[in-house]
Each structure stands twice: as structure tokens, then as C-alpha cells.
Amino acid sequence: MKLFVSSLVFAGLVLMAGSGAAYADEPDVAAERQVTLDQTLEWTMQNQQGAVYRILISKPEGEVPYSGGYPVIYVLDGNAYFASLHEAKRAQEQFRQAIIVGIAYPGEAPHNFLRRSYDLSPPVAEEHNTPPQGGQDELLDFIEQSLMPAIAERFPVDANHQSLYGHSFGGMFAIYALFTRPELFNHIVAASPSLWWNNSYLLKHERDFSQQVEAGEVNAIHHSLSLVVADNDSLQNQQDASQLYQRLEDLSAYGLRSSFHKVEGEDHMSVPFVLESRVLKQLLGTRGG
């Protein structure tokens, strides 16, 4: 995969001691070229509505695990968060067998405001639909019906170890996925989720999910939700996430593991960039513990 950034590679002239001559294999001028992330792939896909996505793949390294397939982490806002997660994975040998799938948008912007506002949000009344919102089920359909099969065609995948990571609106979307399609992902990490959005619309889905788990209609065993906030997040963001964690604690009796963590010294936009190792440990170190 090639990132849309460039780097000046200053080879310079390496002088031989006492002679002033350059090594023959050293270029004598600076060369400019695109940076390439090793062990990555990229392709584009369209959803049923014709919207285009960049799919960024951090390839697994090493033998296929005993389960018969590699664990997979799907990352929302892949333009912003894929590269740092990929490099954190490769730098730590115990995580290299994982596949990381960045769900990204065309272009260079870290965050595509219009696309993510639609993809990661619930429908709203027409008078509030600026920017356009309401595409959360379209994105889940794309992930379930198109993207996951495409990954499974290319790599052996552990169907029982698939995770979703999102930040802000992405965290909100990841929790929506847990509540409405719990069979899709085993483990969720939601960083600074926007639980206040649209009059806390997720509360209804939370109640439905809890009732289904308690009634035995949803098997929560081997499922986990990790909630992370920054200590400089808004007070509402912090309280909403903490209270959600407290409410879901009762579902531990049915197998759902949940956790809450506050990161000191960070704010809403900085917190994802100090979470890479924590996310990998949560989702891979103890099978989503």
C-alpha cells in the first residue's frame, strides 16, 4: 500500500577517507518518492449504493494459528488510524499474526467529514439531515456481505475472533454493531464514543440487546466491549461511557466482558494515537479480554 505522502531521501555523498570520492552505489542527488508501508495491501470496493471505499490491509505474518485462521481487526476511519496500528502490530511479534483491515475513504484527508457523518450515524428527521446522515446499516451490510467475504477469500480467517475498533462517531457505530448485530464481531473497542448523539439513540438498542441476552436469544459468551475515554474528553462523553459500562456489568453473568478505562493527559482527538498497543492487547493478547 502506498500512502499519499512523500519523503525526501537524502542519500548525499559518502566521502571515502582522504580521497574525496563517493561510493559508487550511492546516488549523488536527493530522490523523492512515495512512502510505502511494508506488508500491506490496498484495493477499492463499492457498497450496494455505489459508494467507494479504500480497503487497507495489514497482512498477517507467520504460521496460521492453531484455530485454523488469523484473527481480524476492522478499523473505522482507516485513513487516520490504520498506519499507526499496522506499525504497532509489526513491531510487537506476538501480534504479527493478526490481519488489520482499515475501512478508509478515497483521498488524503485523515477524516472525511461528509462520508463518516453518513456512514456512522442513524437516520434523522429531514430538518436535521445536514450533513446527510443515516447510513449505519448500509455500512454494516457492506462489511458483512462484501468486505468480510473478500477478506476470507484472500486469507484463512478465524471466524470466532473478529473485532471492530472505532473512535468518536466510529465508537458509537461500533457499539451499535454490538447491540444490533452481535454475531458479526466478537470484540469491540470504542474510544471516546459519541453516546450523546441524536438524543442518546443507542439507549433503546442497549435495552433491546440486554433483554435479548437475558432471555438467551443472544449468546454473549466470548464477546467483549472495551470503552476508553480521555480525561480531557467532554464531561458528558466521560460520564456516558462510564455509565454504559456500569449498566452492562450485569451482563457479565451471561458471559459479556466489559471494561472502562480513562487515559490521562489526552483529549478527544489525541487519545486514539496513544491507544495502539492497548487496542492490540485488548483484542489479541487475551482473545479480547
Side-chain angles (χ1 to χ4, degrees):
M1 186 197 76
K2 291 186 176 180
L3 295 183
F4 293 95
V5 295
S6 60
S7 173
L8 288 177
V9 181
F10 293 104
L13 293 176
V14 181
L15 299 180
M16 298 178 65
S19 70
Y23 289 116
D25 59 351
E26 291 287 343
D28 59 359
V29 295
E32 182 177 305
R33 59 191 182 211
Q34 289 183 313
V35 173
T36 299
L37 291 179
D38 295 331
Q39 295 297 317
T40 61
L41 299 171
E42 176 177 351
W43 66 79
T44 59
M45 297 180 70
Q46 291 185 348
N47 67 6
Q48 291 183 352
Q49 292 73 33
V52 176
Y53 295 89
R54 293 173 63 199
I55 306 304
L56 315 178
I57 306 297
S58 174
K59 296 191 292 185
E61 300 180 54
E63 297 294 326
V64 176
Y66 68 90
S67 62
Y70 297 107
V72 185
I73 301 174
Y74 291 86
V75 181
L76 301 165
D77 290 312
N79 301 67
Y81 307 130
F82 171 81
S84 58
L85 272 172
H86 164 73
E87 294 297 355
K89 184 200 87 167
R90 295 202 70 223
Q92 300 177 77
E93 187 173 356
Q94 68 268 34
F95 300 138
R96 289 180 187 166
Q97 287 181 316
I99 302 167
I100 298 177
V101 180
I103 302 172
Y105 301 112
E108 299 182 19
H111 292 92
N112 186 317
F113 175 74
L114 291 177
R115 288 288 304 274
R116 72 191 302 271
S117 294
Y118 182 77
D119 277 352
L120 305 177
S121 66
V124 296
E126 187 60 37
E127 61 267 25
H128 301 299
N129 198 34
T130 303
Q133 299 159 63
Q136 58 187 10
D137 285 309
E138 292 176 12
L139 179 54
L140 279 175
D141 287 344
F142 168 71
I143 293 172
E144 181 176 8
Q145 299 169 16
S146 299
L147 181 54
M148 283 181 160
I151 302 301
E153 285 178 2
R154 290 167 171 80
F155 306 100
V157 166
D158 184 348
N160 296 313
H161 199 175
Q162 303 204 67
S163 307
L164 179 63
Y165 168 51
H167 168 252
S168 193
F169 261 31
M172 176 181 76
F173 174 90
I175 295 170
Y176 174 77
L178 170 67
F179 289 162
T180 62
R181 306 195 195 189
E183 73 288 347
L184 204 54
F185 300 102
N186 307 98
H187 311 298
I188 302 290
V189 173
S192 298
S194 303
L195 299 176
W196 51 270
W197 187 255
N198 195 19
N199 297 316
S200 301
Y201 86 103
L202 282 175
L203 284 172
K204 176 187 181 303
H205 297 295
E206 178 193 336
R207 288 192 293 269
D208 292 344
F209 172 74
S210 296
Q211 290 170 4
Q212 291 167 353
V213 171
E214 291 168 355
E217 297 170 3
V218 168
N219 183 358
I221 297 174
H222 305 309
H223 282 66
S224 70
L225 170 64
S226 176
L227 296 160
V228 185
V229 297
D231 69 342
N232 289 315
D233 256 314
S234 71
L235 183 59
Q236 183 171 9
N237 256 22
Q238 296 181 51
Q239 291 177 339
D240 285 348
S242 175
Q243 290 167 6
L244 173 59
Y245 163 67
Q246 293 172 35
R247 292 193 302 271
L248 292 179
E249 277 190 300
D250 289 342
L251 296 185
S252 64
Y254 301 89
L256 179 70
R257 288 169 292 140
S258 55
S259 63
F260 173 79
H261 178 69
K262 185 183 294 187
V263 182
E264 301 297 325
E266 303 299 336
D267 59 32
H268 187 73
M269 294 307 296
S270 69
V271 70
F273 298 103
V274 299
L275 287 182
E276 287 91 348
S277 288
R278 184 178 187 89
V279 168
L280 293 172
K281 289 176 183 176
Q282 288 284 101
L283 299 179
L284 302 172
T286 56
R287 295 189 65 85

